[in-house]
Short mmCIF file of all heavy atoms in Angstrom, two decimals:
data_model
loop_
_atom_site.label_atom_id
_atom_site.label_comp_id
_atom_site.label_asym_id
_atom_site.label_seq_id
_atom_site.Cartn_x
_atom_site.Cartn_y
_atom_site.Cartn_z
N PHE X 772 -8.66 59.12 -86.69
CA PHE X 772 -8.50 59.28 -85.24
C PHE X 772 -7.50 60.37 -84.88
O PHE X 772 -7.17 60.55 -83.72
CB PHE X 772 -8.08 57.94 -84.62
CG PHE X 772 -9.13 56.87 -84.79
CD1 PHE X 772 -8.98 55.91 -85.78
CD2 PHE X 772 -10.26 56.87 -84.01
CE1 PHE X 772 -9.95 54.93 -85.96
CE2 PHE X 772 -11.23 55.91 -84.18
CZ PHE X 772 -11.09 54.92 -85.17
N LYS X 773 -7.03 61.06 -85.88
CA LYS X 773 -6.12 62.17 -85.63
C LYS X 773 -6.63 63.40 -86.39
O LYS X 773 -6.17 63.70 -87.49
CB LYS X 773 -4.70 61.83 -86.07
CG LYS X 773 -3.67 62.88 -85.64
CD LYS X 773 -2.28 62.45 -86.05
CE LYS X 773 -1.24 63.47 -85.62
NZ LYS X 773 0.12 63.09 -86.04
N PRO X 774 -7.59 64.12 -85.84
CA PRO X 774 -8.21 65.24 -86.56
C PRO X 774 -7.28 66.45 -86.65
O PRO X 774 -6.32 66.59 -85.90
CB PRO X 774 -9.43 65.57 -85.70
CG PRO X 774 -9.01 65.20 -84.32
CD PRO X 774 -8.16 63.96 -84.48
N MET X 775 -7.62 67.31 -87.59
CA MET X 775 -6.93 68.59 -87.70
C MET X 775 -7.56 69.59 -86.72
O MET X 775 -8.77 69.54 -86.49
CB MET X 775 -7.05 69.14 -89.13
CG MET X 775 -6.45 68.26 -90.20
SD MET X 775 -6.73 68.91 -91.85
CE MET X 775 -8.49 68.69 -92.02
N GLN X 776 -6.75 70.44 -86.19
CA GLN X 776 -7.26 71.51 -85.32
C GLN X 776 -7.41 72.76 -86.18
O GLN X 776 -6.45 73.27 -86.73
CB GLN X 776 -6.31 71.76 -84.15
CG GLN X 776 -6.10 70.55 -83.26
CD GLN X 776 -7.42 70.05 -82.67
OE1 GLN X 776 -8.24 70.82 -82.20
NE2 GLN X 776 -7.60 68.74 -82.72
N ARG X 777 -8.65 73.20 -86.32
CA ARG X 777 -8.93 74.33 -87.19
C ARG X 777 -9.75 75.39 -86.45
O ARG X 777 -10.57 75.07 -85.59
CB ARG X 777 -9.71 73.87 -88.43
CG ARG X 777 -8.88 73.00 -89.37
CD ARG X 777 -7.81 73.85 -90.06
NE ARG X 777 -7.03 73.07 -91.00
CZ ARG X 777 -5.82 72.55 -90.72
NH1 ARG X 777 -5.30 72.73 -89.51
NH2 ARG X 777 -5.18 71.89 -91.65
N HIS X 778 -9.52 76.63 -86.82
CA HIS X 778 -10.30 77.75 -86.29
C HIS X 778 -11.21 78.20 -87.41
O HIS X 778 -10.76 78.60 -88.49
CB HIS X 778 -9.40 78.91 -85.85
CG HIS X 778 -10.06 79.84 -84.89
ND1 HIS X 778 -10.04 79.63 -83.53
CD2 HIS X 778 -10.79 80.98 -85.08
CE1 HIS X 778 -10.71 80.60 -82.92
NE2 HIS X 778 -11.18 81.44 -83.85
N LEU X 779 -12.53 78.14 -87.17
CA LEU X 779 -13.52 78.46 -88.20
C LEU X 779 -14.04 79.88 -88.03
O LEU X 779 -14.32 80.34 -86.91
CB LEU X 779 -14.70 77.48 -88.13
CG LEU X 779 -14.55 76.16 -88.90
CD1 LEU X 779 -13.33 75.37 -88.44
CD2 LEU X 779 -15.81 75.32 -88.77
N PHE X 780 -14.17 80.57 -89.17
CA PHE X 780 -14.74 81.91 -89.21
C PHE X 780 -15.97 81.86 -90.10
O PHE X 780 -15.87 81.64 -91.32
CB PHE X 780 -13.74 82.92 -89.77
CG PHE X 780 -12.53 83.13 -88.91
CD1 PHE X 780 -11.42 82.30 -89.00
CD2 PHE X 780 -12.51 84.17 -87.97
CE1 PHE X 780 -10.31 82.50 -88.20
CE2 PHE X 780 -11.40 84.37 -87.18
CZ PHE X 780 -10.30 83.53 -87.28
N LEU X 781 -17.16 82.06 -89.50
CA LEU X 781 -18.41 81.99 -90.25
C LEU X 781 -18.84 83.40 -90.64
O LEU X 781 -19.23 84.21 -89.80
CB LEU X 781 -19.50 81.34 -89.41
CG LEU X 781 -20.88 81.23 -90.06
CD1 LEU X 781 -20.83 80.39 -91.33
CD2 LEU X 781 -21.90 80.66 -89.08
N HIS X 782 -18.74 83.68 -91.94
CA HIS X 782 -19.20 84.95 -92.50
C HIS X 782 -20.55 84.75 -93.17
O HIS X 782 -21.00 83.62 -93.35
CB HIS X 782 -18.19 85.49 -93.52
CG HIS X 782 -16.88 85.86 -92.93
ND1 HIS X 782 -16.51 87.15 -92.66
CD2 HIS X 782 -15.82 85.09 -92.57
CE1 HIS X 782 -15.29 87.17 -92.15
NE2 HIS X 782 -14.84 85.93 -92.09
N GLU X 783 -21.16 85.83 -93.55
CA GLU X 783 -22.44 85.74 -94.24
C GLU X 783 -22.32 85.03 -95.59
O GLU X 783 -23.24 84.35 -96.03
CB GLU X 783 -23.03 87.14 -94.45
CG GLU X 783 -23.49 87.81 -93.17
CD GLU X 783 -24.00 89.21 -93.41
OE1 GLU X 783 -23.32 89.97 -94.14
OE2 GLU X 783 -25.07 89.55 -92.89
N LYS X 784 -21.14 85.14 -96.23
CA LYS X 784 -20.98 84.59 -97.57
C LYS X 784 -20.00 83.44 -97.66
O LYS X 784 -19.91 82.80 -98.71
CB LYS X 784 -20.54 85.71 -98.53
CG LYS X 784 -21.53 86.84 -98.66
CD LYS X 784 -21.03 87.90 -99.63
CE LYS X 784 -22.01 89.05 -99.75
NZ LYS X 784 -21.52 90.09 -100.70
N ALA X 785 -19.25 83.18 -96.62
CA ALA X 785 -18.24 82.11 -96.72
C ALA X 785 -17.88 81.59 -95.33
O ALA X 785 -18.06 82.27 -94.31
CB ALA X 785 -16.99 82.63 -97.43
N LEU X 786 -17.35 80.37 -95.32
CA LEU X 786 -16.83 79.74 -94.10
C LEU X 786 -15.35 79.51 -94.31
O LEU X 786 -14.94 78.82 -95.26
CB LEU X 786 -17.55 78.41 -93.85
CG LEU X 786 -17.08 77.61 -92.63
CD1 LEU X 786 -17.36 78.37 -91.33
CD2 LEU X 786 -17.76 76.25 -92.59
N LEU X 787 -14.51 80.09 -93.44
CA LEU X 787 -13.06 79.97 -93.56
C LEU X 787 -12.53 78.95 -92.56
O LEU X 787 -12.95 78.94 -91.40
CB LEU X 787 -12.38 81.32 -93.32
CG LEU X 787 -12.74 82.49 -94.23
CD1 LEU X 787 -11.84 83.67 -93.93
CD2 LEU X 787 -12.62 82.11 -95.70
N PHE X 788 -11.60 78.11 -93.02
CA PHE X 788 -10.88 77.18 -92.16
C PHE X 788 -9.46 77.69 -92.04
O PHE X 788 -8.78 77.90 -93.05
CB PHE X 788 -10.87 75.76 -92.76
CG PHE X 788 -12.20 75.08 -92.73
CD1 PHE X 788 -13.21 75.43 -93.60
CD2 PHE X 788 -12.43 74.06 -91.81
CE1 PHE X 788 -14.43 74.79 -93.57
CE2 PHE X 788 -13.66 73.41 -91.78
CZ PHE X 788 -14.67 73.79 -92.65
N CYS X 789 -9.00 77.91 -90.81
CA CYS X 789 -7.64 78.41 -90.57
C CYS X 789 -6.97 77.55 -89.52
O CYS X 789 -7.62 76.88 -88.71
CB CYS X 789 -7.67 79.87 -90.10
SG CYS X 789 -8.39 81.01 -91.29
N LYS X 790 -5.64 77.60 -89.53
CA LYS X 790 -4.85 76.89 -88.52
C LYS X 790 -4.33 77.91 -87.52
O LYS X 790 -3.68 78.89 -87.89
CB LYS X 790 -3.70 76.14 -89.16
CG LYS X 790 -2.90 75.31 -88.16
CD LYS X 790 -1.83 74.48 -88.86
CE LYS X 790 -1.06 73.62 -87.85
NZ LYS X 790 -0.03 72.79 -88.53
N ARG X 791 -4.62 77.66 -86.28
CA ARG X 791 -4.22 78.58 -85.21
C ARG X 791 -2.76 78.35 -84.86
O ARG X 791 -2.31 77.23 -84.66
CB ARG X 791 -5.11 78.39 -83.99
CG ARG X 791 -4.78 79.30 -82.81
CD ARG X 791 -5.62 78.93 -81.62
NE ARG X 791 -5.27 79.71 -80.44
CZ ARG X 791 -6.02 80.66 -79.91
NH1 ARG X 791 -7.18 80.94 -80.46
NH2 ARG X 791 -5.65 81.31 -78.84
N ARG X 792 -2.03 79.43 -84.75
CA ARG X 792 -0.61 79.36 -84.36
C ARG X 792 -0.38 80.34 -83.22
O ARG X 792 -0.84 81.48 -83.26
CB ARG X 792 0.31 79.70 -85.53
CG ARG X 792 0.13 78.80 -86.74
CD ARG X 792 1.10 79.18 -87.84
NE ARG X 792 0.89 78.41 -89.04
CZ ARG X 792 1.36 77.18 -89.25
NH1 ARG X 792 2.09 76.61 -88.30
NH2 ARG X 792 1.11 76.54 -90.37
N GLU X 793 0.34 79.90 -82.19
CA GLU X 793 0.67 80.79 -81.07
C GLU X 793 1.98 81.49 -81.36
O GLU X 793 2.99 80.84 -81.65
CB GLU X 793 0.80 79.99 -79.76
CG GLU X 793 -0.51 79.41 -79.28
CD GLU X 793 -1.48 80.46 -78.79
OE1 GLU X 793 -1.03 81.59 -78.53
OE2 GLU X 793 -2.68 80.16 -78.68
N GLU X 794 1.96 82.78 -81.32
CA GLU X 794 3.16 83.56 -81.56
C GLU X 794 3.34 84.57 -80.43
O GLU X 794 2.39 84.95 -79.77
CB GLU X 794 3.08 84.30 -82.90
CG GLU X 794 3.02 83.37 -84.09
CD GLU X 794 2.97 84.14 -85.39
OE1 GLU X 794 2.86 85.36 -85.35
OE2 GLU X 794 3.05 83.49 -86.44
N SER X 795 4.55 84.98 -80.21
CA SER X 795 4.82 85.97 -79.17
C SER X 795 5.40 87.21 -79.82
O SER X 795 6.16 87.13 -80.78
CB SER X 795 5.79 85.42 -78.12
OG SER X 795 7.02 85.07 -78.73
N GLY X 796 5.00 88.34 -79.30
CA GLY X 796 5.52 89.59 -79.82
C GLY X 796 6.23 90.35 -78.72
O GLY X 796 6.01 90.12 -77.54
N GLU X 797 7.08 91.26 -79.09
CA GLU X 797 7.86 91.99 -78.09
C GLU X 797 6.96 92.92 -77.27
O GLU X 797 6.19 93.69 -77.82
CB GLU X 797 8.94 92.82 -78.80
CG GLU X 797 9.83 93.61 -77.84
CD GLU X 797 10.85 94.44 -78.58
OE1 GLU X 797 10.89 94.33 -79.81
OE2 GLU X 797 11.58 95.18 -77.92
N GLY X 798 7.05 92.77 -75.98
CA GLY X 798 6.38 93.71 -75.10
C GLY X 798 4.94 93.38 -74.77
O GLY X 798 4.31 94.07 -74.02
N TYR X 799 4.38 92.36 -75.34
CA TYR X 799 3.02 92.01 -74.97
C TYR X 799 2.86 90.50 -74.97
O TYR X 799 3.71 89.76 -75.45
CB TYR X 799 2.00 92.66 -75.91
CG TYR X 799 2.30 92.53 -77.38
CD1 TYR X 799 1.88 91.41 -78.10
CD2 TYR X 799 2.98 93.54 -78.05
CE1 TYR X 799 2.14 91.30 -79.45
CE2 TYR X 799 3.25 93.42 -79.41
CZ TYR X 799 2.83 92.30 -80.10
OH TYR X 799 3.09 92.20 -81.43
N GLU X 800 1.73 90.04 -74.41
CA GLU X 800 1.52 88.62 -74.23
C GLU X 800 1.40 87.90 -75.55
O GLU X 800 1.24 88.51 -76.61
CB GLU X 800 0.27 88.40 -73.39
CG GLU X 800 0.35 89.00 -72.02
CD GLU X 800 -0.93 88.81 -71.26
OE1 GLU X 800 -1.90 88.30 -71.86
OE2 GLU X 800 -0.94 89.16 -70.09
N LYS X 801 1.48 86.57 -75.49
CA LYS X 801 1.34 85.78 -76.70
C LYS X 801 0.01 86.06 -77.36
O LYS X 801 -1.03 86.08 -76.72
CB LYS X 801 1.45 84.29 -76.38
CG LYS X 801 2.86 83.85 -76.00
CD LYS X 801 2.92 82.35 -75.82
CE LYS X 801 4.34 81.89 -75.52
NZ LYS X 801 4.42 80.42 -75.38
N ALA X 802 0.04 86.27 -78.67
CA ALA X 802 -1.18 86.54 -79.42
C ALA X 802 -1.30 85.51 -80.53
O ALA X 802 -0.30 85.18 -81.18
CB ALA X 802 -1.12 87.95 -80.02
N PRO X 803 -2.49 84.95 -80.76
CA PRO X 803 -2.65 83.94 -81.80
C PRO X 803 -2.65 84.56 -83.18
O PRO X 803 -3.04 85.71 -83.37
CB PRO X 803 -4.00 83.32 -81.47
CG PRO X 803 -4.76 84.43 -80.82
CD PRO X 803 -3.73 85.23 -80.06
N SER X 804 -2.22 83.77 -84.15
CA SER X 804 -2.38 84.13 -85.55
C SER X 804 -2.98 82.93 -86.26
O SER X 804 -2.94 81.80 -85.75
CB SER X 804 -1.03 84.51 -86.18
OG SER X 804 -0.16 83.38 -86.21
N TYR X 805 -3.59 83.18 -87.42
CA TYR X 805 -4.31 82.12 -88.11
C TYR X 805 -3.84 82.04 -89.55
O TYR X 805 -3.93 83.02 -90.29
CB TYR X 805 -5.83 82.40 -88.05
CG TYR X 805 -6.35 82.56 -86.65
CD1 TYR X 805 -6.48 83.82 -86.08
CD2 TYR X 805 -6.69 81.46 -85.88
CE1 TYR X 805 -6.94 83.98 -84.79
CE2 TYR X 805 -7.16 81.60 -84.58
CZ TYR X 805 -7.28 82.86 -84.04
OH TYR X 805 -7.73 83.01 -82.76
N SER X 806 -3.35 80.87 -89.91
CA SER X 806 -2.94 80.64 -91.30
C SER X 806 -4.13 80.14 -92.09
O SER X 806 -4.75 79.13 -91.74
CB SER X 806 -1.81 79.59 -91.35
OG SER X 806 -0.68 80.04 -90.62
#
Side-chain angles (χ1 to χ4, degrees):
F772 296 101
K773 189 177 181 182
M775 299 176 291
Q776 300 302 315
R777 292 289 182 261
H778 200 88
L779 274 58
F780 294 85
L781 179 61
H782 295 258
E783 290 177 314
K784 299 180 181 180
L786 178 64
L787 301 187
F788 289 75
C789 299
K790 184 175 182 179
R791 180 186 176 109
R792 301 182 185 278
E793 293 290 343
E794 296 181 354
S795 60
E797 181 182 356
Y799 47 87
E800 298 177 355
K801 289 185 177 182
S804 65
Y805 304 95
S806 299

